[in-house]
């Protein structure tokens, strides 16, 4: 077997891809008002800018296991990263057709990245699943929050929305180069590091027989709804309370950034020996944060803080549930099914919230919708927190 030194680019490449895998999504909302004005988009069409990638996340996730079986995990991730780079370039062209075409392309690329990254963790770091999932989500949220926080200041300093969105091609290209180096090493040393002998991933027909797979998909979709509806509309909700547009944009970055401590704790909460009680307290706190959006500007800002922590923990918990498979070859299929069905469920959120606001002229009903979804997320999370055969413990070892 090859030594860990043979794969010296694997961890840096993994970190780089994790850092950029949400940049194209979170860099958009602070610029959405400007884009909507320039391209003459209605609130419903503006919500579609977030919904389209989520539809891609859902539909194309089901294709990913076949791509992995044909090309391997690392090459599939390389191709997905390249497609995401191309999508960001096309989306930044200042026309309505290219804007939506690029949105679809980057959505397809990120859909594959979503499925493959947990599989990389489970196959290459099987004895460090909670630690590597924490690293993955911390990097993902750090990059996403940086993009969300930087967009409004860039626009304020005179940069057009087109160039503001195009800037994120630079870190994406850097991640592509680093992952290309890691892929080249893996091709040369296919059993390097902690990876087992290469084997075809388990078919989806096998994993869907287990109720836990369906509960995982439900949790993935509900936590995604709880993330993407606020991601798209928090700036507008805060502005309705009288918060300045620039401050609202920065608070979106704060919302993303506060997910970092949550993502540290999420995998540990999901694998804690008292997980049901720990998660129940977490879900209750998150629900209170949503309720705070209905109050004054001050309480709404406090709600953003609580929800920021919660969204980081939520995605980390979901990805840990996905990676908790006794057989690592099940992970691509479980990941594809959970993320595919989950993101299709989540896709209805932003556009529905936009349509409800357009019809009612108030953000009260959309916020109540987020609250209802948060409560449903709590139910599915508590079901999954019960011990199950084949799960991976906090030490990374499978439990029986």
């Amino acid at each position: 077997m090859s030594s860990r030194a043979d794969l010296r680019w694997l961890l840096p490449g993994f970190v780089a891809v994790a850092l950029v895998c949400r940049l194209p999504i979170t860099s958009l909302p602070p610029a959405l008002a400007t884009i909507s004005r320039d391209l003459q988009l209605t609130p419903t069409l503006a919500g579609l800018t977030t919904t389209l990638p989520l539809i891609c996340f859902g539909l194309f996730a089901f294709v990913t296991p076949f791509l992995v079986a044909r090309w391997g995990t690392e090459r599939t991730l390389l191709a997905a990263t390249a497609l995401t780079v191309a999508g960001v370039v096309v989306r930044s062209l200042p026309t309505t057709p290219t804007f939506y075409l690029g949105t679809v392309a980057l959505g397809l690329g990120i859909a594959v990245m979503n499925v493959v990254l947990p599989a990389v963790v489970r196959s290459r770091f099987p004895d460090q699943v909670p630690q590597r999932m924490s690293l993955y989500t911390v990097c993902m949220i750090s990059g996403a929050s940086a993009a969300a926080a930087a967009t409004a200041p860039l626009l304020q300093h005179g940069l057009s929305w087109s160039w503001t969105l195009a800037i994120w091609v630079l870190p994406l290209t850097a991640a592509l180069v680093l992952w290309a180096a890691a892929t080249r090493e893996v091709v040369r040393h296919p059993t390097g590091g902690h990876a087992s002998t290469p084997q075809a991933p388990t078919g989806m027909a096998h994993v869907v027989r287990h109720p836990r797979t369906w509960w995982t998909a439900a949790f993935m979709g509900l936590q995604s709804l709880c993330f993407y509806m606020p991601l798209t509309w928090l700036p507008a909700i805060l502005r309705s309370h009288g918060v300045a547009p620039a401050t609202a944009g920065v608070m979106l970055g704060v919302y993303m950034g506060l997910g970092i401590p949550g993502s540290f704790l999420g995998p540990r909460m999901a694998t804690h020996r008292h997980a049901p009680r720990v998660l129940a307290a977490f879900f209750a706190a998150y629900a209170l944060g949503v309720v705070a959006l209905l109050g004054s500007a001050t309480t709404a800002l406090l709600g953003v803080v609580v929800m920021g922590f919660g969204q980081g923990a939520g995605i980390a918990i979901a990805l840990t549930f996905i990676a908790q498979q006794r057989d690592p070859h099940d992970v691509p299929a479980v990941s594809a099914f959970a993320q595919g069905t989950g993101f299709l469920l989540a896709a209805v959120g932003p556009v529905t919230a936009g349509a409800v606001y357009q019809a009612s002229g108030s953000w009260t009903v959309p916020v109540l919708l987020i609250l209802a979804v948060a409560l449903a997320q709590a139910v599915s999370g508590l079901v999954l927190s019960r011990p199950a055969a084949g799960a991976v413990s906090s030490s990374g070892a499978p439990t029986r």
Side-chain angles (χ1 to χ4, degrees), residues 231-388:
L231 175 70
T232 305
W233 298 117
L234 264 181
I237 293 171
L238 292 176
R239 288 199 299 271
S240 73
H241 286 293
V243 177
T247 302
V250 170
M251 285 304 297
L252 184 64
V254 171
Y255 168 77
M256 294 298 304
L258 286 172
I260 294 174
S263 64
F264 270 120
L265 296 176
R268 289 158 178 80
M269 288 193 289
T271 56
H272 196 278
R273 62 194 181 101
H274 298 303
R277 279 182 283 177
V278 172
L279 291 178
F282 159 70
F283 292 131
Y286 183 85
L288 289 175
V290 177
V291 171
L293 294 180
L294 297 172
S296 65
T298 301
T299 60
L301 292 174
L302 290 174
V304 170
V305 171
V306 175
M307 292 173 67
F309 177 87
Q311 58 86 11
I315 183 61
I317 292 167
L319 293 173
T320 301
F321 285 148
I322 288 172
Q324 282 181 311
Q325 310 304 315
R326 180 173 180 80
D327 184 350
H329 301 99
D330 289 348
V331 176
V334 173
S335 183
F337 182 77
Q339 298 202 52
T341 56
F343 280 124
L344 286 177
L345 174 62
V348 304
V351 69
T352 299
V356 169
Y357 170 73
Q358 188 174 353
S360 67
S362 169
W363 286 109
T364 299
V365 178
V367 170
L368 291 175
L369 178 62
I370 296 172
L371 178 61
V373 172
L375 295 176
Q377 176 195 12
V379 172
S380 60
L382 291 175
V383 169
L384 287 167
S385 68
R386 296 179 301 186

Side-chain angles (χ1 to χ4, degrees), residues 72-288:
T73 303
E74 288 75 19
R75 284 174 171 167
T76 301
L77 183 56
L78 181 65
T81 307
L83 180 59
T84 304
V85 172
V88 172
V89 171
V90 174
R91 186 184 65 173
S92 66
L93 301 176
T95 71
T96 301
T98 54
F99 178 74
Y100 282 105
L101 178 62
T103 298
V104 170
L106 66 88
L108 293 177
I110 297 174
V112 177
M113 296 164 76
N114 288 338
V115 174
V116 173
L117 281 166
V120 170
V121 170
R122 189 65 180 90
S123 64
R124 295 288 166 183
F125 310 103
D127 58 344
Q128 300 175 331
V129 170
Q131 296 90 337
R132 292 298 183 236
M133 292 309 297
S134 291
L135 177 64
Y136 168 30
T137 51
V138 165
C139 290
M140 177 176 66
I141 293 171
S142 297
S145 61
T151 298
L154 288 172
L155 288 169
Q156 279 192 322
H157 283 79
L159 216 58
S160 69
W161 67 261
S162 178
W163 280 107
T164 298
L165 297 184
I167 279 177
W168 305 110
V169 170
L170 299 176
L172 277 160
T173 301
L176 179 64
V177 171
L178 284 171
W179 189 250
T183 301
R184 185 166 55 249
E185 287 181 339
V186 170
V187 170
R188 291 175 180 173
H189 308 285
T191 58
H194 283 287
S196 57
T197 301
Q199 175 182 325
T202 304
M204 200 174 296
H206 171 72
V207 300
V208 297
R209 297 172 188 169
H210 304 294
R212 190 175 180 85
T213 301
W214 290 87
W215 280 109
T216 303
F219 185 83
M220 185 71 197
L222 292 165
Q223 72 82 26
S224 294
L225 277 170
C226 285
F227 173 70
Y228 284 103
M229 284 194 289
L231 175 70
T232 305
W233 298 117
L234 264 181
I237 293 171
L238 292 176
R239 288 199 299 271
S240 73
H241 286 293
V243 177
T247 302
V250 170
M251 285 304 297
L252 184 64
V254 171
Y255 168 77
M256 294 298 304
L258 286 172
I260 294 174
S263 64
F264 270 120
L265 296 176
R268 289 158 178 80
M269 288 193 289
T271 56
H272 196 278
R273 62 194 181 101
H274 298 303
R277 279 182 283 177
V278 172
L279 291 178
F282 159 70
F283 292 131
Y286 183 85
L288 289 175

